[in-house]
Amino acid sequence: MLQLSAGALLLLLPWYGGLVFGEISADFSQCLYFFYNKTPPKGISAAGYQPICQRYKNQYRFASLYHRQHRAPLYSAYILSPAEGKRPNSTWMYEPQLVFSRAGSEMKHFQYPVDQNVIESQAVVQDYRNSNYTKGHLNPSMHQKTREDREATFTLTNIVPQRAGSNSGPWNRLENDMLRKFKAFCNGSMYVITGAMPYESEPRWINNRVSVPEYMWSAYCCPSYRSDLPESVRPLFPTHAAVGRNDRNSGEEIVPVNFKARASVRGYDVRRMSLETLEDILTQRLAMPISLFHRECLSSLS
């Protein structure tokens, strides 16, 4: 499922500093249904990435592509389903199979003190303490229907360091807007892929362990939607995408800054865009010819 070209690999070497190949599974074969047409994104190098079918309480809940050295996911993929309840308490979990390849497939709650093998294999809660970053969900809990589905999002393999001004500001509004569009216009499944975009030059870290993204990004695919879409909404189906700033000091070549925004969220703007535009940005920034949805998400009007 993961494609690799020699050119992309050479471009990635300076950024990753080495190659680590996953031990859990070579692909997403156990959880392909979280991707449109059962097809994960194409063009992403296998170097350093680990596919994870996120399993909780004996059921697969979503999928993540995890980078072992950066101790953070590149993306999480899920089917949006509005929550039928409140946000659960944040009881954080980890992925045992990142510790030992033959460990059970269920995510587990952290036990304290945390085993050193767990600390070495992935991010832990301690990494985020006193870091000035929140734990940013790629698959947000309120995009998941059942309590168990929502609880499953609280694994650190679904989390990236995100500034509070983004997490509780413009990025939160984007997540809520996606829910509204799904309820109002999408007649079938909405497939979502949300990810992180690293700094273009030298990586930045919290606790010298977890990679900090410069931007967040998200895209959805709703292949079956209402035929009577309002004119203002037509460009948003079957696909749409967005990129959000996670560094208020970054340049404006990808996402412009609204300097009239209130101080607490200024510089954490979100730019809405077409799927094609997002893929062009990811292709340039990650040096990989990325295609997020199979055949660009063929539509089916209802």
Side-chain angles (χ1 to χ4, degrees):
M1 295 298 173
L2 302 180
Q3 298 178 341
L4 174 65
S5 70
L9 177 56
L10 289 173
L11 287 167
L12 287 168
L13 285 175
W15 190 66
Y16 290 119
L19 303 181
V20 179
F21 290 91
E23 297 174 0
I24 304 177
S25 173
D27 53 36
F28 289 110
S29 59
Q30 299 300 312
C31 56
L32 288 174
Y33 44 85
F34 292 115
F35 301 94
Y36 170 65
N37 211 24
K38 296 184 178 180
T39 305
K42 299 289 188 180
I44 297 176
S45 164
Y49 289 121
Q50 175 62 66
I52 299 176
C53 291
Q54 302 277 15
R55 189 175 179 88
Y56 177 66
K57 293 189 175 179
N58 204 35
Q59 184 174 326
Y60 294 115
R61 308 290 173 170
F62 61 101
S64 298
L65 187 62
Y66 192 76
H67 194 283
R68 286 173 172 267
Q69 285 182 309
H70 283 206
R71 297 184 176 90
L74 176 67
Y75 67 71
S76 286
Y78 61 95
I79 298 175
L80 188 149
S81 185
E84 293 184 345
K86 297 180 180 180
R87 175 187 170 101
N89 294 329
S90 53
T91 304
W92 295 99
M93 293 179 281
Y94 70 98
E95 179 53 66
Q97 292 175 98
L98 290 174
V99 187
F100 301 109
S101 61
R102 296 183 181 179
S105 59
E106 293 266 337
M107 58 181 75
K108 289 188 177 181
H109 292 101
F110 282 101
Q111 301 294 320
Y112 297 93
V114 180
D115 186 281
Q116 187 62 32
N117 291 309
V118 175
I119 294 173
E120 291 176 0
S121 67
Q122 58 202 281
V124 296
V125 175
Q126 184 64 37
D127 290 323
Y128 285 83
R129 290 176 182 158
N130 304 315
S131 70
N132 295 319
Y133 286 91
T134 65
K135 302 179 191 72
H137 283 69
L138 296 187
N139 174 8
S141 66
M142 298 310 287
H143 280 193
Q144 297 297 314
K145 182 178 181 178
T146 70
R147 179 177 180 83
E148 290 77 15
D149 287 338
R150 295 194 298 278
E151 289 175 345
T153 67
F154 287 86
T155 170
L156 289 187
T157 51
N158 178 49
I159 298 297
V160 297
Q162 186 177 12
R163 290 290 190 185
S166 166
N167 200 352
S168 60
W171 195 255
N172 179 253
R173 290 196 293 274
L174 173 74
E175 293 171 341
N176 291 334
D177 187 54
M178 196 180 300
L179 276 173
R180 287 191 292 269
K181 287 184 173 60
F182 170 77
K183 292 176 181 179
F185 306 114
C186 194
N187 290 330
S189 296
M190 178 179 275
Y191 300 87
V192 183
I193 302 176
T194 298
M197 194 186 309
Y199 283 84
E200 192 170 22
S201 54
E202 186 176 353
R204 301 190 188 184
W205 310 84
I206 59 171
N207 199 27
N208 292 317
R209 284 172 36 87
V210 183
S211 177
V212 176
E214 185 176 11
Y215 297 95
M216 310 281 287
W217 55 269
S218 186
Y220 66 74
C221 161
C222 173
S224 179
Y225 55 91
R226 282 174 43 184
S227 59
D228 60 341
L229 291 177
E231 197 66 33
S232 61
V233 178
R234 287 188 181 277
L236 309 182
F237 287 89
T239 63
H240 202 54
V243 174
R245 299 168 60 92
N246 195 39
D247 185 340
R248 65 195 335 167
N249 297 314
S250 291
E252 298 185 64
E253 64 277 3
I254 295 179
V255 183
V257 174
N258 175 15
F259 291 98
K260 295 182 180 180
R262 68 180 189 273
S264 61
V265 299
R266 190 179 304 138
Y268 297 115
D269 305 76
V270 171
R271 174 188 166 193
R272 316 296 176 97
M273 62 187 63
S274 68
L275 174 64
E276 181 182 14
T277 299
L278 172 60
E279 289 177 339
D280 287 345
I281 292 171
L282 292 176
T283 294
Q284 179 180 357
R285 288 294 299 259
L286 301 180
M288 294 183 280
I290 292 177
S291 174
L292 293 176
F293 299 113
H294 181 249
R295 300 182 66 182
E296 302 301 297
C297 180
L298 292 177
S299 64
S300 176
L301 296 178
S302 301

